[in-house]
Amino acid sequence: MATADHVTGRQNLASYRLNTEAVTVTSHTAKTAPIGAAYSRDERVDMAAFSCDLDLKPLPIASEPPAIGENIFTLGHPLGDEFTLSSGIVSGYRYDDSPLMQITAPISPGSSGGPVLNQWGELVGLVSSYKPGAQNLNLVVPLSELLALRSRIHGLARTV
């Protein structure tokens, strides 16, 4: 499982594990489970990943990043509206402090950590943030960073 790090409150996920009421993962079928023992965070790119004991089918992963101008879709819970699908395009890539993909799909509070999919339904990133006061300047953690974090979490899961 992965989400935007700021969704976790940027706190130590180990402390969450000690408080069974603090954080659980809820599936689209309303099944819940606490986060697992293996976790990893990357504050630089606003990502957190963790294991959980839900039997969830992972999203297919794209073999390459989308090109500028390519259609993308976000899935999230903007302003509490559950499982909302929005569309847009990749409008650019930014490499300031960390690599980010810029998209035009609408992003609101509650969208953070949601998947960004290409036109074939393959994962290409995770919603990170939007630029307040701007239109269509929304930022996504790209697939390359997700794959790096996934490698770290799999390494941890084998050692826990």
Side-chain angles (χ1 to χ4, degrees):
M1 304 281 313
T3 190
D5 188 45
H6 73 267
V7 170
T8 70
R10 299 192 191 276
Q11 297 181 29
N12 184 341
L13 293 176
S15 66
Y16 279 133
R17 291 196 67 250
L18 299 176
N19 181 355
T20 57
E21 297 175 11
V23 172
T24 58
V25 177
T26 304
S27 74
H28 69 284
T29 59
K31 293 180 182 178
T32 62
I35 64 171
Y39 60 89
S40 186
R41 296 174 58 211
D42 190 335
E43 294 178 75
R44 178 184 59 87
V45 291
D46 191 28
M47 282 190 316
F50 46 88
S51 61
C52 76
D53 291 328
L54 289 176
D55 185 24
L56 301 173
K57 182 180 176 186
L59 292 169
I61 296 174
S63 60
E64 58 187 53
I68 293 174
E70 188 173 318
N71 292 324
I72 51 87
F73 302 88
T74 63
L75 181 61
H77 311 295
L79 301 176
D81 292 337
E82 294 184 335
F83 300 106
T84 298
L85 183 70
S86 298
S87 64
I89 63 166
V90 174
S91 56
Y93 285 91
R94 305 287 168 245
Y95 299 97
D96 300 329
D97 296 326
S98 62
L100 291 168
M101 180 172 36
Q102 184 177 304
I103 63 170
T104 64
I107 300 298
S108 300
S111 300
S112 297
V116 178
L117 309 170
N118 64 17
Q119 59 191 340
W120 298 280
E122 299 167 328
L123 184 68
V124 296
L126 284 182
V127 173
S128 177
S129 62
Y130 60 94
K131 293 188 178 186
Q135 294 181 0
N136 297 327
L137 293 176
N138 305 309
L139 301 172
V140 171
V141 176
L143 184 60
S144 60
E145 297 298 314
L146 289 170
L147 294 176
L149 190 64
R150 183 175 79 166
S151 293
R152 289 195 298 273
I153 192 88
H154 282 292
L156 289 169
R158 287 192 295 270
T159 61
V160 173

